[in-house]
Amino acid sequence: MSALRVTRRLGLAGLLPLLLAAGPLAAAGTPVPGSNPLFRDRFTADPAPLVVGDRLYLYVGHDEARGEEMFNMRQWLVYSTSDMKQWTEHGPVMKATDFRWAKADAWASQVIEKDGRYWFYTAVEHDDTHPGKAIGVAVADSPTGPFVDAKGSALITNQMTPKGEHSWEDIDPTVFTDDDGSTWIAWGNRHCYIARLKPNMIELDGEITEITPPHFEEGPWLHKRGDTYYLTYASLDRSDHTDERISYATAPSIQGPWTYRGELTGSGKNSFTIHPGIAEFKGQWYIFLHNAALSIGDQEGALGRRAVTVEYLQYNEDGTLKPVVQTDAGVSVPPPG
Ligand code: FUB
C-alpha cells in the first residue's frame, strides 16, 4: 500500500504512533528522542545507569575497534538525562591506564553513590605483576568525575579466583547497597562471584562466594524491588544459540538462595555480547542493553563496535520480569500495556 493511501486511511493522528514506532529516523532523518540506539556519533557498550536526584547518569565503555579488531576500549564516557529523551554528553570520566597498575581495556563498569561520594568499579587488564583481568575502584565527588584510583592497586585480581580456567574471569563488577547499609560486589565471566565490601569501599570484607546461575556468561547486574533481589546477566546456552542473551535469577536475600527464572531477552542484533544495566527512574523501571546495529560512516557495527539501547522493564504481579524485546522505538513511545 502506498504511503499516500496509508495516510488517507489512518489520518495524521493515526499515523503518528506508527511513525514513532518506526524509530530512529522517523522525522526527516532526525532521531526521535528516546529511540535506539541512544548515542549515534560513537560506539558505546556495557551501559551502567546511576540515578542521582532528578538525573539519570549512564556510564558506558567507548568502543573504538577498527576493521577486524576485536575490542579497543580505552576510556569510559558518561551521559545524563532528566527525561530519558534528551541526553547530555559529559565526555570521558576515566581511562583504563589512569589505574597505574593497569595496562589496557576499559571494560564494563558500575558507579554507585555512598556517603556522598561516587565509587566506580570496573574491569581492566592488569599489568604483568598480576596477569589477566582485574577489578579496580576509583572515586569522585561528582557523578561526572574526575574519578581517581581509590586504592592504588586492584581490588580483585585473576589470582584471587583460581577456579577459572581463563584470564578474563574477573570482569564486569556490579555493586549494590542493601537496606542494612552493607555494600556487595558481584562479578565474573563463566563463574559468578559475590563478596561484601568493607565500609571503606576499597576492600573485600570476608570470603568470596561463588553463585554462578545457569548459563551464566558475564555481565551480572544486582538490583532489588520490594522484597526481591534480582541477579540479571548475559547468558549463553551453548547447546542452542551462539550469541549471548539476558537471563535472570531472584532471591529473598542478597546472600541467596538464587532461583533461576529463565531468559529475559533475545540476543542484541549483530552482537555476540549483550550487557544489562537496570534502574528505576521517576517511577519507571528501565533496562539498558547494547547491540551492534549502528553504522558510523564506513564503520559497521561489530563485536567491538556496539551501541547502547534502552527499553522499559516491567514486572508481573509475582515479581517475575516480563520478556524484553530490543526495539528501534525504545522509550520514545509509552510503555506497553
Ligand atoms: O565490553 C567488553 C566486554 O564485553 C564486557 O566486559 C562484557 O560484559 C562484554 O560486553
Side-chain angles (χ1 to χ4, degrees):
M1 192 183 298
S2 73
L4 190 59
R5 285 177 66 191
V6 171
T7 312
R8 278 198 191 122
R9 263 186 55 175
L10 296 177
L12 267 184
L15 204 56
L16 193 59
L18 292 183
L19 283 172
L20 290 174
L25 300 177
T30 307
V32 176
S35 64
N36 289 320
L38 294 181
F39 317 116
R40 299 172 190 213
D41 62 339
R42 68 196 70 192
F43 296 105
T44 56
D46 304 330
L50 169 72
V51 174
V52 180
D54 70 350
R55 291 195 82 75
L56 183 145
Y57 292 84
L58 190 66
Y59 301 84
V60 299
H62 187 187
D63 262 343
E64 299 183 86
R66 307 288 297 180
E68 298 300 306
E69 214 176 355
M70 188 177 164
F71 290 124
N72 181 352
M73 305 182 79
R74 291 175 287 184
Q75 61 185 3
W76 298 274
L77 313 172
V78 65
Y79 298 81
S80 74
T81 183
S82 63
D83 60 4
M84 294 299 293
K85 300 275 194 316
Q86 306 293 338
W87 288 87
T88 303
E89 181 187 330
H90 300 282
V93 278
M94 204 178 173
K95 300 194 299 293
T97 51
D98 288 340
F99 293 107
R100 279 195 301 147
W101 46 269
K103 60 181 183 185
D105 292 347
W107 282 20
S109 70
Q110 187 179 349
V111 176
I112 60 166
E113 184 273 338
K114 188 146 192 193
D115 301 329
R117 305 196 83 194
Y118 298 88
W119 300 88
F120 184 101
Y121 295 83
T122 192
V124 289
E125 182 74 17
H126 204 292
D127 68 20
D128 295 343
T129 61
H130 292 83
K133 287 282 180 293
I135 292 172
V137 50
V139 68
D141 292 322
S142 153
T144 53
F147 286 90
V148 294
D149 187 352
K151 187 173 167 75
S153 60
L155 172 67
I156 296 162
T157 64
N158 192 39
Q159 292 68 39
M160 288 165 68
T161 57
K163 188 169 181 183
E165 48 293 307
H166 56 292
S167 66
W168 61 99
E169 186 190 22
D170 296 283
I171 62 169
D172 293 0
T174 175
V175 270
F176 169 79
T177 299
D178 207 350
D179 298 337
D180 65 0
S182 61
T183 301
W184 298 77
I185 180 166
W187 72 96
N189 179 287
R190 306 265 174 90
H191 299 279
C192 185
Y193 300 104
I194 193 165
R196 188 162 48 203
L197 287 165
K198 287 187 179 173
N200 66 15
M201 303 293 272
I202 63 169
E203 289 175 278
L204 300 187
D205 189 3
E207 295 296 301
I208 295 174
T209 306
E210 184 175 354
I211 54 166
T212 309
H215 309 303
F216 178 82
E217 186 66 12
E218 55 188 357
W221 186 274
L222 289 169
H223 83 278
K224 185 183 183 198
R225 176 179 173 270
D227 292 332
T228 304
Y229 295 74
Y230 295 80
L231 173 65
T232 308
Y233 55 95
S235 55
L236 196 57
D237 181 348
R238 291 166 196 278
S239 67
D240 87 330
H241 51 79
T242 53
D243 290 336
E244 293 177 348
R245 299 174 181 181
I246 299 292
S247 297
Y248 76 108
T250 61
S253 125
I254 190 68
Q255 296 187 73
W258 293 97
T259 301
Y260 178 57
R261 299 291 182 188
E263 287 185 350
L264 178 64
T265 75
S267 301
K269 188 175 175 189
N270 203 27
S271 181
F272 168 69
T273 69
I274 190 168
H275 191 108
I278 293 171
E280 183 182 22
F281 183 50
K282 301 189 176 177
Q284 177 70 54
W285 285 88
Y286 298 95
I287 181 164
F288 294 85
L289 300 163
H290 66 223
N291 60 29
L294 175 71
S295 292
I296 303 176
D298 64 353
Q299 293 294 300
E300 292 186 348
L303 178 61
R305 288 188 293 277
R306 294 163 290 180
V308 164
T309 65
V310 65
E311 304 293 345
Y312 297 106
L313 183 67
Q314 297 187 305
Y315 298 82
N316 294 308
E317 276 185 16
D318 64 0
T320 55
L321 298 173
K322 295 190 176 175
V324 173
V325 177
Q326 268 187 308
T327 63
D328 289 340
V331 299
S332 67
V333 293

